[in-house]
């Protein structure tokens, strides 16, 4: 991981930064965009793939099976046939998992062979995915869940820390602490996610022993992200202190932008609510999609987000975000290389 600099002092970005994950997925850089409900669509995922990383289209974001199939075909077209992934988030709600099963089969039928599983152990999905020779990267928040998934035979793991935007589970450990413990017991390729939005952190994760990083928040205001401009400006205006975790007392921790909706949810929770139904529409995903992502009413809805949002300082194309991450990573690698004795570089 040694960086070269051009005459102007700008780090030269190699086409490839090989790790076990880049080899497994056939990509250049170990940079992954996690599934983002309503947001990681064909255009966003294709842009990450074209920039040398890997992305996952969320299977449940399409209204119908046919729309989902179209989304996959669109992504295939936009990447010029390069491989891309699908996120299969399992839920405690059985009817949602029926959709996931159907969409997994549609994805396999359309030739997708890379899947990010999340939410619950991937046990019900594995037989079909393995039979189709698909790669499964399972995402979880506890080392013990990662160890269990490793035993189930997944190909790689993503371990997220408490900083993760979205649902970081009940784990309270930050990404790098969780990851360091995981490396004692995990032998298959390991991805770290949660709170990562700067290339320095990518270099640090690789130096730690991880094989890749998984990001979400940093891409929420990308030009390609399918959301209203007012939402993206709210993302840009949000710093690292502008998110909060709610619903932890229901065993369903959700890290989101601290908007008016989040404050109402927190008040109801603090008043003693113990079931999702007591929050009514405030926590509805469809409402978030309609009001915040589509209409731009960013004080409404549950806007999944972690503190890495502080690094998202402008609405930019994915290519620019990825380039910056790679440059920052190479600068950090260079610094690290300088610390080592010459015999080790
Ligand atoms: C807006 C948003 C929506 C998300 N939706 C999902 C989802 O539906 N399924 C899932 O597995 N992870 C979801 N995540 C988590 C991401 O896949 C990824 O693990 C996370 O964003 C990494 O942490 P970071 O946000 O701190 O970069 C979401 C994250 C964000 C920011």
């Amino acid at each position: 991981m040694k960086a070269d600099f051009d005459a102007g002092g700008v780090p030269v970005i190699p086409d490839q930064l090989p790790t076990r994950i880049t080899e497994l997925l056939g990509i250049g850089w170990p940079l992954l965009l996690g599934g983002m409900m309503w947001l990681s669509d064909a255009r966003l995922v294709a842009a990450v793939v074209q920039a040398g990383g890997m992305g996952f289209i969320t299977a449940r974001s399409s209204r119908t099976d046919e729309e989902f199939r179209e989304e996959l075909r669109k992504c295939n077209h936009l990447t010029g046939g390069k491989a891309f992934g699908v996120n299969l988030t399992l839920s405690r709600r059985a009817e949602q998992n029926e959709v996931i099963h159907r969409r997994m089969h549609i994805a396999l039928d359309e030739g997708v062979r890379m899947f990010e599983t999340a939410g619950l152990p991937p046990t019900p999905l594995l037989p079909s995915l393995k039979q189709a020779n698909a790669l499964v990267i399972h995402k979880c928040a506890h080392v013990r869940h990662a160890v269990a998934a490793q035993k189930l035979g997944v190909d790689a793991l993503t371990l997220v820390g408490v900083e993760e935007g979205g649902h970081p589970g009940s784990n309270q450990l930050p990404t790098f602490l969780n990851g360091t413990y995981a490396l004692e017991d995990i032998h298959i390729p390991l991805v770290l996610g949660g709170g990562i939005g700067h290339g320095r952190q990518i270099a640090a994760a690789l130096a730690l022993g991880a094989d890749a990083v998984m990001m979400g928040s940093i891409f929420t205001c990308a030009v390609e992200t399918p959301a209203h401009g007012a939402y993206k400006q709210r993302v840009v205006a949000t710093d690292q202190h502008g998110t909060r975790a709610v619903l932890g007392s229901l065993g369903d921790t959700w890290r989101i932008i601290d908007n008016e909706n989040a404050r109402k949810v927190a008040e109801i929770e603090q008043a003693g609510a113990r079931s999702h139904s007591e929050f009514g529409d405030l926590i509805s995903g469809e409402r978030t999609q309609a009001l915040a992502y589509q209409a731009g009413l960013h004080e409404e809805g549950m806007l999944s987000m972690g503190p890495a949002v502080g690094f998202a300082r402008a609405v930019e194309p994915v290519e620019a975000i990825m380039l910056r991450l790679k440059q920052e990573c190479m600068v950090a690698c260079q610094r690290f290389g300088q610390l080592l004795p010459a015999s080790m570089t």
Side-chain angles (χ1 to χ4, degrees), residues 92-261:
R92 286 182 214 151
R93 306 222 310 256
E95 71 281 4
Q96 291 189 354
N97 293 342
E98 279 171 30
V99 177
I100 288 293
H101 270 94
R102 282 204 315 274
R103 302 220 169 146
M104 171 185 73
H105 285 293
I106 292 171
L108 288 172
D109 190 40
E110 289 295 318
V112 175
R113 288 295 178 274
M114 290 179 197
F115 292 86
E116 175 184 50
T117 57
L120 291 174
T123 320
L125 305 173
L126 279 181
S128 303
L129 293 174
K130 287 282 133 197
Q131 196 184 354
N133 282 326
L135 288 176
V136 180
I137 306 181
H138 181 64
K139 182 165 66 182
C140 53
H142 279 277
V143 174
R144 66 174 188 279
H145 295 159
V147 170
Q150 179 174 248
K151 280 198 191 120
L152 285 176
V154 300
D155 300 283
L157 284 156
T158 299
L159 192 70
V160 295
V162 68
E163 313 94 313
E164 187 204 21
H167 292 274
S170 60
N171 157 60
Q172 294 297 315
L173 299 184
T175 298
F176 280 72
L177 190 54
N178 219 11
T180 307
Y181 281 115
L183 283 160
E184 294 179 352
D185 297 313
I186 300 298
H187 313 297
I188 58 177
L190 180 70
V191 183
L192 289 184
I196 298 177
H198 194 288
R200 287 182 205 279
Q201 297 167 291
I202 297 166
L206 297 175
L208 195 76
D211 298 283
V213 300
M214 156 79 58
M215 295 168 285
S217 296
I218 191 71
F219 291 107
T220 52
C221 64
V223 167
E224 293 87 345
T225 301
H228 197 281
Y231 160 80
K232 293 186 189 178
Q233 289 306 329
R234 176 69 161 91
V235 171
V236 168
T238 302
D239 72 8
Q240 62 269 41
H241 305 292
T243 71
R244 72 188 296 163
V246 294
L247 304 186
S249 59
L250 276 68
D252 188 21
T253 306
W254 198 342
R255 185 168 288 282
I256 51 179
I257 287 188
D258 190 12
N259 62 0
E260 284 171 21
N261 192 83

